[in-house]
Amino acid sequence: MDSKKGWFSPRLMILAMGFLLVGGMLPVPFIYGYETRSLQNVDNSAQEIVSMMKEINKLKHRISFWNLFNGLNLSQDQIEELIAINTEYREKLRESTAKAIKALSESRVSLEKWEQAIRDGNLPEERMRQAGRASHITKEFYQQLKDIKEPFLSRLNNVFTDAQKEVIRGFKPCVVPPTDLRDPIRVGQASSNEYAVRMLKRIRSIPSQKFPSALDRIVDIHADKISRRYRLTDNEIEQERQRMRDFLKKVYYMDDVDFEMNKEELADEFKYKDKVELLREDLRNIQQELHRTQKVRDPVGTSKIVRYFLDPEIIPLLQYRLNLLRSSN
Amino acid sequence: MEKNRIITRRDFLKSMARYGSMVISLPLALKYLGLLEEDAYAELVRKYPIPGKYYKRISGRMVRCLICPFYCLLGESGIGQCRTKKNYNGVLYTHAMDNPCIISVDPVEKLPTAHYLPGHKSLTVAVGGCNLHCLYCQNWQQSQERPERLDTVRFPKERVPGALSKKDLKIITYNYTEPVVFMEYILELAHYSRLKGIRHAIATAGYINKEPLKDLIGIAESFTITLKAFDDTTYRRMTAATLKPVLDTILTIKESGRWLEVVNLIVPTYNDDMKQIREMCKWLLKNVGPDVPLHFARFVPEYRLKNLPQTPLSTLEKAYNIGREVGLHYVYTTNVSPHPGNDTYCPYCGTTLIKRVGLRIIENNLRNGRCSKCGRVIPGVWA
Ligand code: SF4
């Protein structure tokens, strides 16, 4: 029993999802549409919300695209090439969907009939064969779509420089771009005095006679905050209290120079990491490992480049930026 | 008689309280009476006379600082433009000693530099104060303040080797504020650590006189000079300094054989005139040769120029192309990444030698300082 329970752990689930996402095996609609799908069955009155959510998710995807786009500094030539690739891709898609539409609508009819038959508890031979064929047709169609993409992949890959690919690989969908995209650290600029470092500096400036009581207060506040934010057992809270107490003592008694030289690492240690965060860290490490192996297995590094840059819907967006670029020159 | 000589605990505490409070309140009383100026109490704690060759006594207690072309003339208690030097009784002191406001571990690429030990980490040290007053300073909280008024760390020379070895570092870089105004401290650190194989690299605006510059050249391996503009009026407008001394600094460093890189931060409407940029590139080509790397850096609104937009990419690219057209071998775009201008190319066969994303190196194709394809020597300090 125990082993069965452990087999389907959330950790495994997240890792598996991570693998699929990294490998680019989940189609975009799955990633951006899962919330709406679960709402669809609720009730008719929810239809409006469903469509609104769809819109919002689409918008989020577009914003993500812009954040990535802005962080890439694409040249005019690169944008033009992307437009050309996507226009060609759109044409190919049109051709093949026009051909496939008849076969797909027949498949749908077959599957609908098969559903009716199963619902009524019948399993007629003929219908079964038709359903099998229909399912095969849809699979074939997916394969066809993949085949259409194939010739564009290397072309698409050639558009980007290695440095741009590195940024695309590390990009995570976001509404507000992370600091390294929004305001990357500049040459000659002292590192940003981030919040955690400032907090630690304040703690270090507490007079020594007041430190023990201040330490208790800080640890209490911290424990209270994390217990409200995360679902933790008493034991976990106690462990975290101890960790924080030891950490703050270390920071407080640390020599000035040592503190300055290690402040970035200390700031990182200061932050509480719950299980999910730790899992994410694991996942990030696995992803990095995967990227390294992927470079060999998948030399065109398709997953994210395709997700963001092989999509006829981006043609008007690219066109818009190209116009802006042309007018600024 | 015997009895009278015994000091009771009460007497002892009383006298301690009396004399102790007198000692403590003396500076406060002096300050109240105006005999001690506001921050002199702090200054009594730490001030260091600067070497006599860096200043001249004019008359009475007047002194003239000889470190930079401002040649500040300071009366008694006068403070230099850079906020680090002060005249006490006709002797010039520095307050920028052992008290950095920034100590951090950074990639050397932050100087910026592209041909000096790429991919290495360094200990960066900066003390408050600056002799320039750039309108766009991105570290103005530190550079436009007196060092003793900042939140500082006590970091005397004796501590340097230990601090470096803890992080397995071999390089100290001086960046963020202006190393010229804390050069006495740099020299101290360098002389102390000379035998320990510690290397020094300096990022400066280069507004310094020849004699003190020679002392810095004596200890530093690499210099990154920010050439803020290429005409004097703009230079004054943007920084309060002048162009000529900076050009002289560039020439002196080049002549010395130390590694040199030049940065030009392009600020829209101030120094983004392409004619001026072309002139600058031509001057560099003629006077320091094609192998001195030139970085065109993107301006991001800061300090007193928050009203301006950041430098458009197209402007940076135009400047980059001009640099290449003129004949400079190593031109870079900085503060904009990813960008093809971040990478190092072989000027002979065009191979990409070093690929970068921001301050990170993602591929290095140099082999012992040579192009991996055509084998030509690429100038720089590579090991
Ligand atoms: S170093 Fe400072 S005090 Fe000396 S001349 Fe320059 S600005 Fe004046």
Side-chain angles (χ1 to χ4, degrees):
Chain A
M1 269 309 272
D2 270 359
S3 65
K4 263 189 184 172
K5 219 174 166 187
W7 182 84
F8 193 73
S9 66
R11 188 188 169 106
L12 210 72
M13 180 77 171
I14 291 174
L15 286 178
M17 292 279 280
F19 274 115
L20 289 172
L21 279 170
V22 168
M25 286 159 76
L26 286 184
V28 177
F30 180 84
I31 300 158
Y32 294 98
Y34 66 96
E35 293 164 52
T36 48
R37 208 172 290 185
S38 58
L39 269 172
Q40 252 161 4
N41 295 331
V42 178
D43 170 304
N44 277 348
S45 61
Q47 280 308 313
E48 206 177 326
I49 292 175
V50 170
S51 67
M52 220 186 280
M53 287 297 283
K54 263 188 190 162
E55 281 300 306
I56 288 173
N57 285 333
K58 233 177 158 181
L59 202 57
K60 272 164 125 181
H61 178 61
R62 270 213 305 276
I63 292 169
S64 262
F65 167 81
W66 282 126
N67 286 332
L68 175 60
F69 185 94
N70 289 340
L72 289 178
N73 301 312
L74 294 170
S75 68
Q76 198 169 315
D77 290 348
Q78 286 177 309
I79 300 176
E80 278 166 0
E81 180 62 6
L82 282 174
I83 293 175
I85 291 173
N86 277 292
T87 314
E88 242 180 81
Y89 176 57
R90 185 177 58 191
E91 287 316 307
K92 291 268 183 238
L93 270 181
R94 263 192 203 144
E95 279 170 27
S96 89
T97 44
K99 279 183 208 157
I101 211 131
K102 191 166 168 265
L104 283 173
S105 62
E106 279 170 16
S107 302
R108 195 181 62 192
V109 174
S110 304
L111 288 171
E112 276 168 1
K113 284 182 181 162
W114 177 236
E115 191 207 359
Q116 268 173 24
I118 300 178
R119 190 186 57 198
D120 300 339
N122 302 325
L123 297 171
E125 279 281 315
E126 180 56 23
R127 291 251 185 284
M128 201 188 297
R129 227 176 301 117
Q130 279 172 352
R133 210 168 35 237
S135 143
H136 183 69
I137 287 171
T138 50
K139 270 188 207 151
E140 252 185 0
F141 181 67
Y142 280 125
Q143 185 55 43
Q144 217 176 316
L145 290 181
K146 258 178 132 181
D147 292 346
I148 295 169
K149 264 184 194 172
E150 204 57 41
F152 292 98
L153 301 185
S154 60
R155 250 179 90 188
L156 193 62
N157 188 58
N158 288 338
V159 173
F160 300 99
T161 64
D162 285 354
Q164 285 167 333
K165 280 180 214 159
E166 192 71 16
V167 173
I168 298 172
R169 266 191 214 113
F171 180 76
K172 290 191 205 94
C174 54
V175 171
V176 177
T179 331
D180 54 342
L181 275 185
R182 196 175 56 223
D183 184 19
I185 197 85
R186 281 165 261 146
V187 295
Q189 183 195 29
S191 301
S192 59
N193 202 0
E194 60 169 302
Y195 180 73
V197 175
R198 266 184 285 139
M199 286 297 287
L200 290 178
K201 280 192 174 170
R202 277 181 65 184
I203 291 170
R204 279 168 60 81
S205 66
I206 297 171
S208 57
Q209 69 276 17
K210 288 186 182 162
F211 181 64
S213 57
L215 180 65
D216 288 341
R217 266 206 316 279
I218 297 167
V219 170
D220 284 347
I221 292 168
H222 173 68
D224 182 49
K225 211 165 119 185
I226 59 159
S227 59
R228 268 189 281 142
R229 183 147 178 212
Y230 307 98
R231 262 193 274 158
L232 298 175
T233 63
D234 288 350
N235 197 15
E236 283 168 332
I237 294 172
E238 199 40 52
Q239 271 178 9
E240 178 54 21
R241 288 178 78 99
Q242 196 51 46
R243 186 195 74 86
M244 187 49 75
R245 182 177 291 279
D246 293 345
F247 169 72
L248 291 179
K249 271 190 190 165
K250 177 177 83 178
V251 168
Y252 187 77
Y253 294 110
M254 204 175 223
D255 164 270
D256 278 353
V257 175
D258 285 343
F259 175 76
E260 290 296 325
M261 287 179 72
N262 293 295
K263 55 184 181 253
E264 304 299 326
E265 290 96 322
L266 290 170
D268 197 42
E269 211 181 320
F270 188 33
K271 289 171 198 154
Y272 174 70
K273 286 176 193 142
D274 70 329
K275 277 185 236 157
V276 176
E277 188 54 41
L278 291 171
L279 277 170
R280 275 200 196 116
E281 258 178 26
D282 279 356
L283 190 59
R284 265 197 292 273
N285 292 338
I286 293 169
Q287 277 178 339
Q288 272 166 5
E289 192 59 30
L290 261 172
H291 284 148
R292 286 202 290 129
T293 48
Q294 252 191 341
K295 274 183 196 164
V296 184
R297 193 163 52 85
D298 170 22
V300 281
T302 45
S303 51
K304 280 189 186 165
I305 296 180
V306 169
R307 195 176 308 155
Y308 285 102
F309 293 99
L310 191 62
D311 175 2
E313 284 197 18
I314 65 168
I315 296 173
L317 311 186
L318 293 173
Q319 200 66 56
Y320 174 79
R321 267 315 257 267
L322 187 64
N323 293 342
L324 276 186
L325 210 61
R326 278 186 186 142
S327 62
S328 77
N329 284 341
Chain B
M1 281 296 280
E2 275 294 301
K3 231 182 174 183
N4 286 347
R5 279 165 66 183
I6 290 172
I7 300 171
T8 61
R9 189 151 60 144
R10 180 182 289 255
D11 289 341
F12 174 75
L13 290 174
K14 261 188 188 170
S15 53
M16 283 307 285
R18 196 177 306 138
Y19 294 120
S21 61
M22 272 172 70
V23 169
I24 292 167
S25 58
L26 183 67
L28 296 175
L30 288 173
K31 193 172 132 187
Y32 182 74
L33 294 170
L35 298 174
L36 203 64
E37 71 168 79
E38 199 194 329
D39 53 350
Y41 185 54
E43 285 166 10
L44 279 175
V45 184
R46 228 162 266 147
K47 62 178 189 190
Y48 295 82
I50 73 168
K53 61 176 178 174
Y54 292 153
Y55 71 97
K56 202 163 121 192
R57 222 181 227 193
I58 303 291
S59 62
R61 288 177 179 173
M62 281 285 233
V63 298
R64 186 182 293 283
C65 177
L66 305 176
I67 290 179
C68 87
F70 281 123
Y71 291 110
C72 293
L73 186 61
L74 307 172
E76 172 62 24
S77 294
I79 294 174
Q81 275 222 44
C82 58
R83 301 176 168 96
T84 64
K85 310 282 186 284
K86 186 165 178 177
N87 176 359
Y88 291 95
N89 284 324
V91 177
L92 195 56
Y93 285 80
T94 178
H95 290 182
M97 181 63 82
D98 300 348
N99 55 348
C101 55
I102 299 168
I103 297 181
S104 59
V105 179
D106 296 317
V108 290
E109 279 76 11
K110 247 183 137 183
L111 283 167
T113 175
H115 293 222
Y116 179 72
L117 301 172
H120 281 64
K121 292 238 166 178
S122 67
L123 177 73
T124 309
V125 174
V127 183
C130 182
N131 50 347
L132 268 60
H133 309 290
C134 304
L135 299 176
Y136 52 77
C137 182
Q138 51 187 351
N139 302 313
W140 61 272
Q141 292 95 335
Q142 287 91 8
S143 70
Q144 303 302 311
E145 184 55 284
R146 293 166 66 170
E148 69 275 17
R149 286 188 179 168
L150 290 165
D151 184 10
T152 59
V153 174
R154 181 142 171 73
F155 193 45
K157 55 184 186 277
E158 296 80 11
R159 296 212 52 189
V160 174
L164 287 169
S165 69
K166 268 189 204 165
K167 288 266 175 184
D168 202 16
L169 302 172
K170 279 267 174 257
I171 313 161
I172 307 182
T173 48
Y174 305 94
N175 195 357
Y176 304 144
T177 56
E178 178 48 70
V180 164
V181 306
F182 61 92
M183 64 171 289
E184 302 84 5
Y185 179 42
I186 297 176
L187 295 175
E188 285 260 318
L189 294 184
H191 289 140
Y192 185 79
S193 57
R194 178 179 292 181
L195 297 175
K196 297 179 177 74
I198 294 167
R199 309 163 84 163
H200 303 264
I202 294 176
T204 165
Y207 203 63
I208 181 171
N209 290 329
K210 214 163 189 169
E211 284 313 307
L213 174 63
K214 279 184 182 162
D215 289 342
L216 283 181
I217 287 173
I219 58 98
E221 207 177 17
S222 162
F223 288 84
T224 300
I225 306 288
T226 314
L227 184 54
K228 317 253 175 186
F230 205 65
D231 89 287
D232 207 53
T233 320
T234 316
Y235 228 98
R236 281 175 205 272
R237 220 172 116 216
M238 282 167 82
T239 70
T242 51
L243 172 65
K244 174 81 173 44
V246 183
L247 298 181
D248 290 344
T249 296
I250 290 175
L251 294 176
T252 311
I253 294 170
K254 183 63 193 168
E255 276 163 23
S256 75
R258 295 299 195 203
W259 184 248
L260 168 70
E261 304 200 14
V262 176
V263 189
N264 176 235
L265 185 107
I266 304 182
V267 184
T269 71
Y270 276 80
N271 61 352
D272 58 351
D273 174 17
M274 291 300 145
K275 255 204 256 160
Q276 213 184 85
I277 286 174
R278 188 175 288 276
E279 286 307 305
M280 179 179 72
C281 294
K282 281 185 182 165
W283 184 89
L284 285 171
L285 181 72
K286 190 172 161 218
N287 293 281
V288 293
D291 289 337
V292 168
L294 171 63
H295 303 253
F296 287 109
R298 174 178 250 177
F299 155 85
V300 174
E302 285 279 5
Y303 192 34
R304 295 188 174 164
L305 293 185
K306 284 218 162 132
N307 55 325
L308 292 182
Q310 62 175 18
T311 319
L313 188 56
S314 56
T315 308
L316 283 175
E317 284 173 345
K318 274 183 208 157
Y320 176 86
N321 291 334
I322 288 174
R324 304 277 300 229
E325 266 166 44
V326 164
L328 297 176
H329 286 167
Y330 306 101
V331 186
Y332 295 94
T333 50
T334 305
N335 291 347
V336 49
S337 176
H339 191 264
N342 301 155
D343 299 344
T344 304
Y345 304 95
C346 173
Y348 310 103
C349 68
T351 305
T352 310
L353 298 172
I354 304 177
K355 288 183 187 171
R356 300 181 176 87
V357 182
L359 305 175
R360 204 156 46 87
I361 285 169
I362 55 168
E363 206 175 304
N364 188 342
N365 294 317
L366 276 171
R367 301 285 168 266
N368 301 320
R370 288 172 181 274
C371 169
S372 55
K373 196 170 170 206
C374 70
R376 303 283 265 277
V377 172
I378 306 298
V381 179
W382 306 114

